């Protein structure tokens, strides 16, 4: 084989090794992002569940169905619907999200 061909094959080998290394690193980073997203969601759920329980009388004695019914009643109130819509609108406006309607 000519020296030039050997050199090109070596460069190809090095490039393939680097590609495999980068692909492996990408998988590691994707797993780390997934884990961080999961932890962030769990933290948010626990925080908000704690907020809800702070408003319930004897939360441990209520069933999940009872809490769900209470939330349905609460979120059907016109003033709650309007307040939630305004909050979402304000967040979207702050983040420059186009109006979905």
């Amino acid at each position: 084989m000519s020296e030039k061909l050997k050199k090109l094959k070596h460069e190809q080998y090095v490039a393939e090794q680097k590609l495999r290394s980068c692909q492996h690193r990408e998988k590691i980073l994707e797993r780390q992002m997934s884990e961080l997203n999961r932890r962030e969601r769990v933290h948010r759920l626990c925080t908000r569940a704690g907020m809800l329980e702070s408003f319930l009388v004897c939360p441990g004695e209520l069933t999940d169905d009872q809490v769900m019914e209470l939330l349905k009643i609460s979120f059907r109130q016109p003033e709650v619907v309007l307040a939630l819509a305004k909050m979402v609108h304000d967040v979207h406006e702050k983040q420059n999200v186009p109006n979905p309607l």
Side-chain angles (χ1 to χ4, degrees):
M1 257 197 268
S2 72
E3 285 299 312
K4 190 169 187 170
L5 183 59
K6 285 182 183 179
K7 183 179 177 186
L8 289 174
K9 286 199 177 271
H10 177 71
E11 285 180 28
Q12 179 185 15
Y13 173 78
V14 169
E16 287 172 350
Q17 289 296 104
K18 188 172 183 177
L19 174 63
R20 278 192 287 279
S21 174
C22 288
Q23 288 171 334
H24 180 67
R25 179 73 180 143
E26 180 184 25
K27 285 182 184 179
I28 290 171
L29 292 172
E30 285 173 353
R31 274 188 246 123
Q32 286 176 344
M33 283 176 43
S34 175
E35 176 70 15
L36 288 173
N37 288 337
R38 185 186 63 78
R39 284 183 183 179
E40 183 180 292
R41 181 173 185 269
V42 167
H43 176 73
R44 184 181 69 247
L45 291 173
C46 290
T47 299
R48 293 179 183 180
M51 290 175 188
L52 170 63
E53 281 200 344
S54 73
F55 288 96
L56 297 176
V57 177
C58 302
E61 296 176 19
L62 297 173
T63 67
D64 290 346
D65 291 337
Q66 289 171 321
V67 173
M68 181 58 123
E69 186 61 29
L70 182 62
L71 290 170
K72 285 178 184 177
I73 292 167
S74 300
F75 279 91
R76 287 186 187 133
Q77 300 299 314
E79 55 273 6
V80 174
V81 172
L82 288 173
L84 181 58
K86 183 181 179 339
M87 288 176 187
V88 170
H89 176 269
D90 292 347
V91 168
H92 286 174
E93 200 171 66
K94 186 177 180 181
Q95 295 174 348
N96 294 321
V97 174
N99 189 351
L101 301 176

